[in-house]
Amino acid sequence: MLGHSLSDKACIIGVGETEFVRGTDKPLARLCIEASLNACKDAGIHPSEIDGVISPWKFNIRHEEFVHGLGMKELKFSGRFELGGASCIAAIQSAALAVAAGVADFILVATGQRGYSSGPRTGAGESSILDLNNEFMPNVEYRENLEYPYGLSVPLHYYSLHANRWIHEYNPDPTGMQIVAMTCREHAQLNEKAYMKGRPMTEKDYQNSPMLVDPFRLFDCSLETDGAGAVIVTSQKNAHRFKKPIYIGGIAEGHPTYPDDLATRPDILDMGITHAAPRAFDMAGVSHDDIDFAEIYDCFTFVLLRQIEEMGFCSRGEAPEFVKNGRIKLGGKLPVNTHGGLLSQAHVVGINHVVEAVYQLRGEAGEAQVKDAKIGLVTGYGDLSDGSIAILHN
């Protein structure tokens, strides 16, 4: 165990979401407040009891808007994280630190995005996407002078460098990416909140989807959707007030060498999760075999596969074999993305993964419930391979 372990010093006592749609008139502030009010209702606390707010992801609302929107009496702690899709779990780590230290009692982590309705969309092929890219990717000067001139302009391009190096070095079975896409879509059919509910995917559908940037087909890419989610964290001392607190057994964030530079990184396959996962497992005091399910950040199918490898469930290049034979489906040894994930539920910067993990551990996941779920794992992935991981238990 780590000397100053956070293990079980904090717990999640409420979660909330909005509807996940394509097309909304609601501003982001309203979506985040709506999800936050739902989380307060879920926890059974009055919104005015919230005394800390962390706003992960760059495109979010100011803390003052939460104060007014929730009628908070006093804001004792606030923070912000800009690690892309790794921000949410990194924010929960900070919230756990704060409540464990007694800085605040109930800290709200709320985020979302209008990925379909606001501004240029990657999927629409608009040239103004470069301006948006400059707002959330690190080191704008590097991007503008050394990447854009050579055609690296959107996440598909960046991650194709990583994916193709992985393929070159290990020759993994390409059907692994298809298995991930189809599994997430299959699980989404069990989730009333999933945007792709009622839109099943066949092998032919996947294989006929257009190749966008080698090796990524359309169905290897996460959704562009509108929505938000929220999580409320409190200390272990307050846990007795709540019916089903979900404890944070282990949590960590990690960064690759040269986190703003993918192309000249000494090891392009090095990821933040490579460094964060061992610390989280050590803090939680569990092994890989103890994990009952995993909600793994899936901005692209290959990113999910690579995280399985870097977390140590298998060696590099072996994830496509690992996911075969129903292993990551409901009923398999390690069900993954039981809600449909970013690929088939919604892309709200990964907070929906945490919400789903809490539902699973409370036995409230409906048709997608993992039997006897006791320990779950959630990851985040952002920007140029930043990573975060939380190991939760009931």
Side-chain angles (χ1 to χ4, degrees), residues 30-43:
R30 180 173 171 182
L31 291 170
C32 287
I33 294 296
E34 184 180 321
S36 300
L37 290 171
N38 288 338
C40 290
K41 182 178 180 180
D42 179 65

Side-chain angles (χ1 to χ4, degrees), residues 96-359:
L97 283 163
V99 297
V103 175
D105 288 316
F106 301 106
I107 297 182
L108 173 74
V109 177
T111 191
Q113 64 175 342
R114 284 162 44 98
Y116 187 86
S117 296
S118 181
R121 293 172 40 233
T122 304
E126 302 170 42
S127 61
S128 55
I129 193 68
L130 294 185
D131 297 327
L132 179 65
N133 208 47
N134 282 347
E135 288 189 52
F136 70 86
M137 292 296 284
N139 199 336
V140 172
E141 292 78 11
Y142 187 94
R143 314 270 87 82
E144 289 186 336
N145 291 287
L146 294 176
E147 292 185 346
Y148 295 165
Y150 294 94
L152 292 178
S153 57
V154 294
L156 276 167
H157 298 149
Y158 297 122
Y159 302 155
S160 72
L161 301 179
H162 182 153
N164 282 302
R165 185 66 195 183
W166 175 59
I167 291 167
H168 172 77
E169 289 195 19
Y170 297 100
N171 192 31
D173 187 337
T175 61
M177 292 165 61
Q178 175 180 308
I179 290 169
V180 169
M182 293 186 65
T183 300
C184 287
R185 186 64 64 89
E186 182 178 322
H187 291 169
Q189 305 314 303
L190 305 176
N191 183 351
E192 292 298 330
K193 283 191 174 181
Y195 182 77
M196 286 299 179
K197 165 77 171 178
R199 301 178 178 93
M201 180 195 297
T202 66
E203 287 189 22
K204 188 175 181 180
D205 290 334
Y206 174 86
Q207 292 163 4
N208 288 343
S209 67
M211 181 69 73
L212 303 180
V213 177
D214 191 24
F216 305 133
R217 296 185 176 279
L218 176 63
F219 290 150
D220 290 310
C221 307
S222 52
L223 299 172
E224 292 177 312
T225 50
D226 308 317
V231 172
I232 299 172
V233 178
T234 194
S235 67
Q236 182 274 335
K237 293 179 181 179
N238 287 328
H240 68 279
R241 282 185 52 183
F242 304 95
K243 292 181 179 179
K244 296 181 179 180
I246 301 303
Y247 287 89
I248 301 169
I251 193 164
E253 71 172 80
H255 304 266
T257 307
Y258 308 150
D260 63 346
D261 178 4
L262 184 66
T264 63
R265 190 173 293 164
D267 178 6
I268 200 171
L269 303 185
D270 180 45
M271 301 168 70
I273 201 76
T274 313
H275 311 286
R279 288 186 275 117
F281 274 94
D282 186 28
M283 184 187 294
V286 300
S287 70
H288 294 81
D289 288 339
D290 294 322
I291 304 299
D292 295 316
F293 65 89
E295 313 298 347
I296 301 176
Y297 199 90
D298 53 331
C299 49
F300 297 96
T301 52
F302 111 95
V303 168
L304 187 152
L305 293 170
R306 288 289 296 116
Q307 287 176 90
I308 286 174
E309 295 175 355
E310 296 302 301
M311 285 190 286
F313 284 96
C314 60
S315 298
R316 285 185 177 179
E318 294 180 357
E321 295 298 324
F322 181 91
V323 301
K324 287 182 178 179
N325 302 315
R327 189 175 204 158
I328 62 171
K329 290 185 179 184
L330 284 163
K333 184 170 176 57
L334 184 69
V336 167
N337 292 3
T338 49
H339 55 325
L342 306 186
L343 289 162
S344 285
Q345 186 197 34
H347 194 330
V348 285
V349 210
I351 198 161
N352 49 329
H353 287 56
V354 183
V355 172
E356 173 67 9
V358 170
Y359 287 152

